[in-house]
Amino acid sequence: GNSVTQMEGPVTLSEEAFLTINCTYTATGYPSLFWYVQYPGEGLQLLLKATKADDKGSNKGFEATYRKETTSFHLEKGSVQVSDSAVYFCALSKQGGSEKLVFGKGTKLTVNP
Amino acid sequence: EAGVTQFPSHSVIEKGQTVTLRCDPISGHDNLYWYRRVMGKEIKFLLHFVKESKQDESGMPNNRFLAERTGGTYSTLKVQPAELEDSGVYFCASSQTPGYGYTFGSGTRLTVV
């Protein structure tokens, strides 16, 4: 079946450090890939997405590239801020049908000043 | 536009009691999804409505869970009777076009004691 594996953390960084959160997936065909973020006390928000191989999603300084050859969608940011502290979820959905999301377990990021 | 609204935000009930969670999607969004995150585990799909019809309910854990969406507007998720393992955060999401990202509510944290 479809599944997503992401580094579980928690991850603690200092402000302005480089961030990578690894995400790999297992799926048949060509899923769409997503990163969602949950800030403290809030709901899930779509951070970025990619719908086909080699697409790069980007938003708020975060980037992730859809790598079909390595079945990966790693999240990166060059310089994190305290306000980036949140839980990050990698997810996929298969096109067609209900297009339900399959999530990883989430990675809690804490950025210290 | 107003976002996806869920209430209550928190609910603490005793084992064996009944609880009803409500989700108000974004107006005009035909697609409504329920997800659940049990402590320390992945966010898992429960079911998908298209308007008032259940498109996919493959994630519903058992017959103690009943979801409805009368009139294709808001949705309720009833748990009867609640068990300890039902504790977790229940998320609702809506979308106009599946597969391109959903808008999630803030979730209902359910604690069964």
Side-chain angles (χ1 to χ4, degrees), chain A:
Chain A
N2 301 325
S3 66
V4 174
T5 303
Q6 64 179 104
M7 55 188 288
E8 293 189 24
V11 175
T12 302
L13 296 173
S14 297
E15 207 164 21
E16 299 184 1
F18 183 85
L19 169 72
T20 299
I21 301 178
N22 290 336
C23 172
T24 57
Y25 68 90
T26 300
T28 55
Y30 300 92
S32 297
L33 301 174
F34 305 86
W35 276 100
Y36 280 84
V37 58
Q38 185 180 23
Y39 297 104
E42 299 184 16
L44 291 163
Q45 300 176 25
L46 177 65
L47 181 59
L48 52 85
K49 67 180 188 287
T51 58
K52 62 182 187 295
D54 299 325
D55 266 3
K56 178 185 283 187
S58 61
N59 186 25
K60 299 181 180 180
F62 291 89
E63 292 184 340
T65 301
Y66 190 144
R67 301 285 188 201
K68 186 156 180 65
E69 63 275 14
T70 54
T71 61
S72 65
F73 193 55
H74 304 321
L75 182 68
E76 296 182 337
K77 186 174 185 181
S79 175
V80 294
Q81 305 300 312
V82 172
S83 57
D84 294 326
S85 297
V87 182
Y88 292 81
F89 295 91
C90 186
L92 67 80
S93 73
K94 291 297 298 296
Q95 296 181 29
S98 70
E99 308 224 11
K100 58 195 175 191
L101 290 165
V102 176
F103 285 90
K105 288 189 176 182
T107 302
K108 183 175 182 180
L109 170 67
T110 301
V111 181
N112 295 318

Side-chain angles (χ1 to χ4, degrees), chain B residues 32-47:
Chain B
L32 187 149
Y33 303 79
W34 285 98
Y35 289 83
R36 169 173 83 165
R37 188 184 192 201
V38 172
M39 182 64 68
K41 297 193 174 180
E42 298 91 339
I43 300 171
K44 294 230 173 179
F45 167 82
L46 295 178
L47 87 158

Side-chain angles (χ1 to χ4, degrees), chain B residues 5-110:
Chain B
T5 305
Q6 291 187 247
F7 47 94
S9 57
H10 294 83
S11 180
V12 180
I13 62 170
E14 293 184 351
K15 176 182 172 181
Q17 289 186 324
T18 297
V19 62
T20 300
L21 314 181
R22 173 167 167 152
C23 169
D24 285 52
I26 291 174
S27 179
H29 281 192
D30 289 340
N31 296 277
L32 187 149
Y33 303 79
W34 285 98
Y35 289 83
R36 169 173 83 165
R37 188 184 192 201
V38 172
M39 182 64 68
K41 297 193 174 180
E42 298 91 339
I43 300 171
K44 294 230 173 179
F45 167 82
L46 295 178
L47 87 158
H48 170 211
F49 283 100
V50 178
K51 296 185 180 179
E52 67 273 12
S53 299
K54 293 175 184 175
Q55 175 80 8
D56 182 348
E57 51 184 330
S58 61
M60 294 289 265
N62 52 60
N63 60 9
R64 294 185 294 102
F65 288 76
L66 175 64
E68 296 181 322
R69 192 182 182 195
T70 305
T73 54
Y74 71 91
S75 174
T76 57
L77 180 64
K78 180 189 290 188
V79 185
Q80 180 182 27
E83 299 289 345
L84 299 179
E85 64 264 26
D86 300 333
S87 296
V89 181
Y90 290 76
F91 291 103
C92 175
S94 71
S95 73
Q96 198 159 24
T97 307
Y100 287 87
Y102 311 78
T103 302
F104 278 84
S106 298
T108 294
R109 181 174 294 278
L110 174 65

